[in-house]
Amino acid sequence: MNPSLASAAADAQRALNTGARSADLYSTLGWFALQSGDVELAQQQFGHALGLSPSDPEALTGMAQCLRLQGQLRDAILHCDAAIRANPDYTDAWLERGFVFASGGSMPSAKACYQKVIDIDPAQAAAHAGIASIMARDGDSAEGRAHAAQALSVDPHNA
């Protein structure tokens, strides 16, 4: 459990209890629920966030992750696409879009999304790891090793 997210979630809940309302508060609670393994609660929280701010990239991306985890890949892609329309350089949406495509077995599309993340921010370990995994699966060991090394240089604990 990420202690800083737990603390932020407690702060968000206190703010909501005092009458504050914002997409950011609900998104924080959504991410905390996801981290806690409660996809249903996370989906509710991201739904509240989207009710307040329908084009909020963070809430759209959070909802996409919930949908992916529930196997609703088409709807997850649609939420990622909406987040990207709202903020074309939002790497979390591109990364989630890659995860969704990979979940559905569309590896060329997943790789393109991971590459877009790297184009925006070369220090994204998860995107490098995603490409490394695809390349290892496809037998391109040189590119796979290069991306794996890059992922580990950014995040030495990346599985």
Side-chain angles (χ1 to χ4, degrees):
M1 179 84 44
N2 180 335
S4 62
L5 182 56
S7 176
D11 291 344
Q13 189 60 61
R14 277 192 293 280
L16 289 170
N17 291 345
T18 63
R21 295 288 179 265
S22 78
D24 288 342
L25 295 172
Y26 285 112
S27 286
T28 299
L29 292 173
W31 291 117
F32 181 71
L34 271 176
Q35 185 182 55
S36 302
D38 193 338
V39 177
E40 185 177 317
L41 177 60
Q43 191 167 7
Q44 290 172 4
Q45 298 295 358
F46 290 123
H48 291 307
L50 291 170
L52 293 171
S53 182
S55 62
D56 181 80
E58 182 180 3
L60 286 162
T61 303
M63 184 65 81
Q65 185 173 342
C66 292
L67 293 165
R68 174 177 53 87
L69 293 171
Q70 295 170 342
Q72 298 176 40
L73 303 184
R74 181 182 182 282
D75 289 336
I77 288 291
L78 293 173
H79 280 76
C80 289
D81 289 349
I84 290 165
R85 277 192 305 277
N87 181 352
D89 290 335
Y90 190 59
T91 57
D92 289 347
W94 283 106
L95 190 60
E96 180 59 33
R97 193 172 192 267
F99 294 156
V100 175
F101 277 125
S103 294
S106 182
M107 298 310 176
S109 295
K111 183 181 178 194
C113 292
Y114 297 146
Q115 187 59 57
K116 179 67 176 177
V117 172
I118 293 167
D119 291 345
I120 296 168
D121 180 3
Q124 287 280 340
H128 284 288
I131 291 177
S133 176
I134 292 169
M135 294 297 86
R137 181 195 73 114
D138 290 349
D140 187 337
S141 58
E143 186 176 357
R145 272 195 287 279
H147 280 284
Q150 186 63 34
L152 290 173
S153 75
V154 173
D155 177 8
H157 303 289
N158 187 291

